[in-house]
Amino acid sequence: MTGTEQSLVHRLVTTIRQGRDVTLVLGSGLTAGVVPGVERMVELADEFVGQALQNSDLQAALAGLRATHRGGALYTAYRQAFTEWLSPVEFDIVVQRAALEAYRPDRATAAGWERVGYHRGVQLEEDRDAWALAPGVEALGELLAGLPDRFERRVITTNFDPLIELAVRRAGGTARSLTLRRDGTFAGPLGPAAGIDVLHLHGYWRPTSETDERSLLHDPVPPRADDTAVVAALAAVLHSDTICVAGYPPGRNDALTRAVQEQSDVLWARHDDDTSPVGRALIYTGVDVDRLFPAVRRGLAALPVSLTRTQPGALPIAQPGEPASDVPGAPARAQPGEPVPVASVAVQPAGTALHRVHLPTLEAILGTRPSAVELLRQLDYEFRWRRVDDTPETPLELVFWPVRLRQPTLIYAVQATVAAALSARGVRVVLCFDDLAGDQHTRSWRVRFTDEVERWFALVEGARPPEVDSLMAFCSPGRVAERLQDPELLRRPTHPWAVQLEYYRGDRMMLDVARAAKAFPGAGDLEIDDAMIGAQIRTTRAERLMSTPAIWAYLQFLLRDTRPEAVMTLGGEDEAVMWDQWHDTFPDSVGHLFHPVMANVRQDARMLGARSFREVEDHLRKAMRLESWDREDHYLHWIVQHAVVLHRYLRNRPALSYDGRLLDSWDAVRAALLDARQRPGTVRVIAREVAALLMHESV
């Protein structure tokens, strides 16, 4: 059965006037007039990658997606590419920029790339009159604020923008934003409450609380159709007499559609004229939400007082003798008032690697189990791990390995095996988690990460498990008090505040601080001004700025009983700026070991934390489609050098091979990959090696 926009208005007005409840399920069509659609979102993503990230590999990957995908599929593929190359949270900046296109304050503001946190987001929403609202959203806000009980005090939406909440507040009501987690629960209690709950199924444009540190602000992939937990959660909130779906295209095989189809009285509004059935729903075609909700609002203006609120924002009550427009049988009444250039990126020419691992040399060394000093030489010479040490011949006693607490990835696996190999040669290893941005999951993340590190250490014969600590525990009031009461510890600045006094005593520039905390990665030799620094910092989680003084304070604590020249830090080349500043601040001759940073791939990228052999293989194949696939320190080269060749060397394992061909160096692997006959098998054996390292699989 189908109907028209006018008949849907009649049905909704009649249902509410009869005292029955309606639950609204709203999609992107509701805010399409002011919030970017798929095409504009893709343009914003391209601008972000070109202007802010300058990531040539990701740009090439996105160009390939544009050639093979369209519409919603292209948007989803873009989101996946950001997750693979950067992190699950990097696309959030694009989403937030899209939401802010509806924010139009009187004074002109330069549009930038800003990671909007909780407090900043709330501040922007409080400037409610500066947000553009389409006529349908504005009328919806008046309906929800005026008759909250008739709409079950909630509305369900797949949108990530705050416009529904803002419309309710403009109309004098109150609104609360809740998000649906992937396990089917909502980030906040449901139940009787003042005002309206806006349930965002695909996430919200900003964190919904001060402690909200979810990996995603917005998930563009709808919940899966077989996700029974999500279907059950949605069905539980769809308990009204009538369900009205508007602005959400039917035909999707997702959890929302399944949950809606389980209801008995569903009204589904379509903007087009397609009458294809959706379960038992009544289809209404040719519906424009910018006409629909203003018409319903006018139709409900004649409601009895018992159905309305007697407070600001309540729907106006028709006076005796005054006709209510759009109510069936009432005469019509006219309604007033409706009517950056991309910076060039320097790339290396394709060609052979600059270094080749000579396996016979390594095999000769393996038989004698080299000392820690000799192992460091090999890492420096054969694998280009950069060693910075004023006293290279001094026996190494302690490795300090500070690690930001996050999802364990392939980079940490490689660092762990290097640390394990050094521990097998008598070196003490201290692993310290940077967990200053802790949330409710911090403890479980520490346990999981520690378990993974111990497993990686166990792969190396003779390795001793590391000592594990955390910056959060180190900076706790109790441990700080203990250090301040120990006269011996007062000889060194073991409190972050004491470190900061030394750190900022010199002519420290804001750029220095930002780069030390990796809040401004890849600055290189670019000409950078204050505006660029501020823009970049706004895209970075602010807690990184707390890490540098805390890490330095912990190292000072370790130096209380170990000679500085016998201590070495372990990390990536992107941490070199922080340790350069250490030497500018303190006189101690601590050494450093930096592994080469992977070009254009971030630490949290899915490409470094794949969850299956097939996923690893898929990432390798995707990387090979790019022109840059064989460049030095790009994804494939880094994987082969460090997760395959170096990993086998550290474990005293024979070189990898395929079809009788040794894969004992990058040159050998590259030659095999250039051979069309050997390419599939070579990719497969590399993927198995990486999967074994990441996911406990045996090789």
Side-chain angles (χ1 to χ4, degrees), residues 499-512:
V499 168
Q500 286 177 343
L501 287 175
E502 298 292 333
Y503 186 31
Y504 297 118
R505 182 168 293 173
D507 297 328
R508 191 69 63 200
M509 305 297 290
M510 185 166 72
L511 177 60
D512 297 332

Side-chain angles (χ1 to χ4, degrees), residues 586-599:
F586 301 107
D588 300 304
S589 299
V590 173
H592 311 283
L593 181 63
F594 302 115
H595 75 73
V597 171
M598 194 181 310

Side-chain angles (χ1 to χ4, degrees), residues 384-395:
R384 295 194 309 110
W385 284 57
R386 189 165 68 94
R387 181 185 179 187
V388 179
D389 195 350
D390 293 336
T391 56
E393 299 304 322
T394 301

Side-chain angles (χ1 to χ4, degrees), residues 311-368:
Q311 64 184 59
L315 292 174
I317 307 303
Q319 301 301 315
E322 179 183 356
S325 298
D326 298 297
V327 177
R333 182 178 62 183
Q335 297 298 310
E338 290 185 310
V340 173
V342 179
S344 61
V345 180
V347 296
Q348 292 177 309
T352 59
L354 301 178
H355 297 268
R356 174 181 172 85
V357 177
H358 302 287
L359 195 66
T361 302
L362 298 181
E363 287 176 341
I365 295 172
L366 288 175
T368 61

Side-chain angles (χ1 to χ4, degrees), residues 22 244 392 580:
V22 174
C244 179
D580 285 344

Side-chain angles (χ1 to χ4, degrees), residues 76-88:
T76 300
Y78 259 53
R79 178 63 181 85
Q80 182 178 353
F82 269 67
T83 299
E84 290 175 348
W85 285 91
L86 304 175
S87 76

Side-chain angles (χ1 to χ4, degrees), residues 10 29 76 96 128 146-147 171 208 237 303 347 380 496 556 630 684:
H10 181 284
T76 300
Q96 292 179 326
R128 63 186 63 166
L147 298 170
T208 54
V237 299
L303 281 174
V347 296
D380 189 354
Q556 292 284 2
D630 62 347
R684 194 170 302 117

